[in-house]
Amino acid sequence: MHRHDIRLTGFWRAPLPPGALYAKLADVEAYPLWWPAFRSVRRTGERECAAVIRSALPYALAVRLTAVVEDPDRRVLEAALDGDLAGSVRWAVRPDRQRGCVAFLTQYVTVRKAALRRWMPLARPLFRVNHALALRGGERALRAGAAPPRG
């Protein structure tokens, strides 16, 4: 692994049927409506979007996501990333008998943003925490949106 490369993983448990979570994750353009780390998403092609992502640390990442795999039967999504990060992102949604479903995220990326590349060797733990916070914010928003209305 190169010093600017990082592998990030995580998972969400959601009180949703697996197909419903897959559909939500497949609708990348709607991420800013519910996932706080996604500041904007704009469709730029049939299988491509431009996104700006920002979590707790004071920097934003501009990336282009190009769909590589969209498999609703296996509930797998994969996209190539280009821009401030280059690499790949993969979601795999599986049933979870106790809680609805679980979605596993795997990202292999190379940091390209110059300001971050400078700090990458020392700040790798901070980048991991920032990623975890972004995921947690998305999971919380997802769970809040999936909860039945009170009252």
Side-chain angles (χ1 to χ4, degrees):
M1 187 181 274
H2 188 271
R3 70 186 205 133
H4 296 116
D5 296 347
I6 191 166
R7 179 178 187 258
L8 301 164
T9 61
F11 66 93
W12 288 346
R13 292 196 186 281
L16 294 169
L21 181 53
Y22 172 88
K24 192 146 185 97
L25 290 170
D27 187 6
V28 178
E29 287 179 276
Y31 283 10
L33 299 175
W34 61 272
W35 192 342
F38 278 80
R39 302 306 169 98
S40 67
V41 175
R42 175 178 52 85
R43 181 148 308 274
T44 56
E46 185 179 326
R47 298 177 58 87
E48 185 177 285
C49 292
V52 175
I53 306 163
R54 181 172 176 189
S55 186
L57 293 178
Y59 63 83
L61 298 170
V63 295
R64 185 175 64 240
L65 295 109
T66 304
V68 176
V69 174
E70 294 175 297
D71 187 337
D73 294 329
R74 292 186 315 133
R75 295 181 298 274
V76 171
L77 295 164
E78 292 182 24
L81 297 172
D82 196 19
D84 291 340
L85 300 175
S88 65
V89 58
R90 180 180 197 270
W91 283 103
V93 180
R94 303 288 179 256
D96 180 6
R97 291 183 185 162
Q98 296 177 346
R99 301 179 190 219
C101 67
V102 61
F104 298 95
L105 171 73
T106 306
Q107 287 180 284
Y108 295 99
V109 296
T110 298
V111 175
R112 285 185 168 167
K113 188 170 186 161
L116 298 180
R117 287 177 69 87
R118 220 178 351 255
W119 296 103
M120 185 70 178
L122 298 172
R124 186 178 299 270
L126 290 174
F127 295 153
R128 288 189 186 286
V129 168
N130 194 57
H131 182 263
L133 291 172
L135 278 180
R136 185 170 19 164
E139 183 179 30
R140 283 182 178 162
L142 178 72
R143 287 170 164 265
R150 296 182 187 204

